[in-house]
Amino acid sequence: MWRGQRGEVVVLAVTAIGIVVGSLFEGVLVGLALAVAKTAWEVSHVQLETEDRGEAGIVVRVLGHATFLRLPKMMDALHALDVLHRDREIRLELGGLRHVDHACAAALEGWAAARERRGPPGQGRVASSSPTS
């Protein structure tokens, strides 16, 4: 378990130590608080990977959990790419998303539609748009 999910091991260890040092109630409360904090940390992170494919354009992979908490970060990164590469195709790949909320889905589709309106057809495309919600 240590190799695959270290965060879970830490939550379990802290819970066990809290039970031994304090009481069952205190240990469980500490473990629960730590598990909630760990989950909030994981859910609030999204990562954008950019791959320049030369003449074929740019591929942007969105990974993680796309929630309204990280929407400004995502849109700032996409706007920066849009400014730098106005004349090139930018393809969004959303297959790496584990969750996408309504606000992020609407913003990503709006960004692609706006890019499509500004340039030649195919400038802003959303691919693999079936993440788990």
Side-chain angles (χ1 to χ4, degrees):
M1 193 170 174
W2 181 252
R3 286 185 220 132
Q5 298 180 347
R6 291 184 183 186
E8 296 296 327
V9 173
V10 170
V11 170
L12 290 172
V14 169
T15 302
I17 291 169
I19 290 170
V20 170
V21 171
S23 65
L24 176 63
F25 182 69
E26 291 170 348
V28 169
L29 281 181
V30 169
L32 182 62
L34 195 58
V36 167
K38 178 185 155 296
T39 301
W41 176 264
E42 289 174 352
V43 168
S44 70
H45 279 71
V46 66
Q47 181 180 0
L48 276 73
E49 292 180 353
T50 305
E51 180 184 346
D52 190 344
R53 292 187 175 174
E55 292 292 321
I58 297 172
V59 175
V60 179
R61 288 180 195 87
V62 186
L63 310 167
H65 298 270
T67 64
F68 69 95
L69 297 171
R70 296 296 179 190
L71 184 56
K73 175 187 170 187
M74 282 189 344
M75 296 313 294
D76 287 346
L78 289 174
H79 179 68
L81 280 172
D82 196 17
V83 169
L84 287 173
H85 305 288
R86 286 192 187 279
D87 56 339
R88 297 178 67 193
E89 177 186 356
I90 298 177
R91 177 182 166 148
L92 288 177
E93 290 187 357
L94 307 179
L97 286 174
R98 286 183 244 148
H99 173 78
V100 59
D101 67 9
H102 181 73
C104 286
L108 291 171
E109 289 172 4
W111 177 86
R115 184 157 171 86
E116 191 78 25
R117 281 191 306 270
R118 283 193 308 272
Q123 284 288 319
R125 291 189 296 158
V126 178
S128 306
S129 59
S130 58
T132 307
S133 55

